[in-house]
Amino acid sequence: MPHAAAETADRPIKQAMLRAALGRCPACGQGRLFSGYLKVNGACAHCDEALHHQRADDGPAYLTILLVSHLGAPLLLAIYMMYRPSAMSMLIGFGLGAVILSLLLLPRIKGGFVGFQWARRMHGFGESATHLEASAP
């Protein structure tokens, strides 16, 4: 019975999200979360925590677009009102800035999503191996 209590204990959401946003395993903070730019490892190499349960899907992309556009739009308006740069310089500058910012934010936001899912035991993150074997056909 102590094993069941350990499985239902709360996992720290903030710590898990920060660890995963930094590209580390949300459970131990040591192993790598990603094997590529956005490809999540099947399991942590350090603590062997299963990470294949994650279902981040389109959420990180939507949140990245939301953040980049909400940061870029007021800045674009302020720069235009202060300096009146040419349309081409605005297009190149803000286009390049949006692409770079999106590429920097996307893996961190996806890591945060995976860390949140792990901490809340979503999509199979909280199921034990015995429970999975019992439910298999």
Side-chain angles (χ1 to χ4, degrees), residues 103-136:
L103 291 173
L104 290 174
L105 286 177
L106 190 56
R108 283 142 188 86
I109 292 173
K110 183 169 183 172
F113 267 68
V114 173
F116 181 79
Q117 291 174 11
W118 177 84
R120 299 294 298 167
R121 299 177 192 274
M122 297 168 70
H123 310 296
F125 274 117
E127 295 179 11
S128 66
T130 57
H131 174 61
L132 291 174
E133 290 171 2
S135 65

Side-chain angles (χ1 to χ4, degrees), residues 5-69:
E7 285 183 20
T8 59
D10 286 338
R11 294 174 175 171
I13 294 173
K14 182 178 178 182
Q15 182 183 34
M17 288 180 70
L18 285 174
R19 285 176 173 174
L22 293 173
R24 299 289 171 203
C25 171
C28 69
Q30 300 296 316
R32 293 177 51 115
L33 179 63
F34 298 111
S35 61
Y37 177 63
L38 290 175
K39 174 122 175 79
V40 177
N41 283 323
C44 175
H46 187 263
C47 69
D48 207 35
E49 177 74 27
L51 300 170
H52 66 274
H53 302 295
Q54 65 86 24
R55 297 285 179 262
D57 300 329
D58 292 335
Y62 289 131
L63 190 56
T64 299
I65 291 168
L66 182 75
L67 289 173
V68 170
S69 63

Side-chain angles (χ1 to χ4, degrees), residues 74-128:
L75 186 61
L76 182 118
L77 182 61
I79 296 293
Y80 180 75
M81 296 303 289
M82 283 191 285
Y83 302 110
R84 302 280 182 185
S86 71
M88 189 55 73
S89 64
M90 293 274 289
L91 183 66
I92 291 171
F94 279 93
L96 191 60
V99 168
I100 290 171
L101 188 58
S102 295
L103 291 173
L104 290 174
L105 286 177
L106 190 56
R108 283 142 188 86
I109 292 173
K110 183 169 183 172
F113 267 68
V114 173
F116 181 79
Q117 291 174 11
W118 177 84
R120 299 294 298 167
R121 299 177 192 274
M122 297 168 70
H123 310 296
F125 274 117
E127 295 179 11
S128 66

